[in-house]
Amino acid sequence: MDDVMERRRERVWEVCKANGLVDYDGRALKPPNAWEFMIDKKHNLVWCNVFKAASSSWMYNFNLLGGYTADFLKRTKKAPLNLARTRFPRPSVQELREALPNSLSFLIVRDPFERLLSAYRNKLEGFRHKYYRKMARDMILLSRGTLASGTQRVSPSTCNPNGYPKVSKIILNHFAGNIPNAYFL
């Protein structure tokens, strides 16, 4: 297992160097983006949240570590991220740098195309939220050129933006001039 972890560390290092994030002496060339980290000082944990890569499971775990009971988490209508942020506020870069040397830090990754497909299925196929309904409508119009005859509203019954081969291209085109939603990064 040590060999596997060492190869992973080397791979991360190579990618960081190739993307200009560190110099050859190991110094960071840019400050870390502390926005998505959660720091649990009591348990000496630092987690970098990557949406669609076990984030729901780890959000649940951090909420348990933060003192919420499993029963409360099952019953509450509040978003898990909002609950977690009341116990683990977004850290500053300085707070993150101070916590890292004394903590177990980790992140969980997933194949980028699996994340994209998962985000698509989770956010767009069900047309649950107004923002994503508009995005789904735009995707349908871009891929098909039109909605079903006489249709003004996008819903699962009127048209479903299926066809994964087109999805990645459409999402990337959709975001070309916009700030992307974190679920699709």
Side-chain angles (χ1 to χ4, degrees):
M1 185 62 160
D2 288 342
D3 290 344
V4 170
M5 296 308 288
E6 182 58 32
R7 284 195 305 274
R8 288 179 180 174
R9 277 190 290 277
E10 288 172 6
R11 176 70 179 137
V12 168
W13 183 255
E14 289 169 11
V15 171
C16 287
K17 280 196 305 189
N19 287 288
L21 300 175
V22 296
D23 65 16
Y24 287 96
D25 293 331
R27 289 185 301 251
L29 297 175
K30 298 177 183 179
N33 178 0
W35 188 253
E36 293 301 337
F37 284 85
M38 287 205 185
I39 299 172
D40 180 349
K41 294 176 183 172
K42 179 179 176 184
H43 298 98
N44 296 321
L45 292 173
V46 175
W47 169 50
C48 178
N49 179 17
V50 178
F51 288 109
K52 308 313 295 174
S55 56
S56 295
S57 297
W58 277 100
M59 198 70 63
Y60 180 80
N61 291 335
F62 264 76
N63 277 320
L64 291 175
L65 291 170
Y68 296 110
T69 65
D71 186 54
F72 173 80
L73 294 173
K74 193 184 307 179
R75 290 181 293 116
T76 188
K77 300 285 187 214
K78 294 183 179 178
L81 177 60
N82 294 339
L83 290 172
R85 285 299 178 201
T86 63
R87 305 288 168 91
F88 308 103
R90 293 190 188 278
S92 67
V93 171
Q94 185 60 36
E95 289 170 322
L96 178 60
R97 285 186 171 145
E98 288 171 5
L100 284 170
N102 305 312
S103 301
L104 171 67
S105 61
F106 66 101
L107 68 111
I108 298 173
V109 297
R110 187 175 183 185
D111 179 274
F113 290 106
E114 288 181 19
R115 287 182 62 218
L116 181 64
L117 179 59
S118 178
Y120 167 78
R121 287 179 171 162
N122 180 256
K123 299 297 177 190
L124 297 178
E125 278 187 342
F127 300 96
R128 293 178 191 92
H129 187 275
K130 182 179 178 180
Y131 173 81
Y132 297 112
R133 280 194 301 271
K134 181 187 178 325
M135 186 184 298
R137 179 184 180 86
D138 292 347
M139 289 173 62
I140 292 164
L141 289 172
L142 281 168
S143 67
R144 297 182 187 163
T146 184
L147 295 174
S149 179
T151 302
Q152 295 299 313
R153 286 192 60 190
V154 175
S155 71
S157 62
T158 58
C159 53
N160 189 355
N162 56 19
Y164 178 70
K166 293 180 181 179
V167 171
S168 61
K169 180 180 178 187
I170 293 166
I171 289 175
L172 293 173
N173 285 338
H174 180 81
F175 288 131
N178 301 315
I179 297 171
N181 183 294
Y183 283 98
F184 294 101
L185 295 178

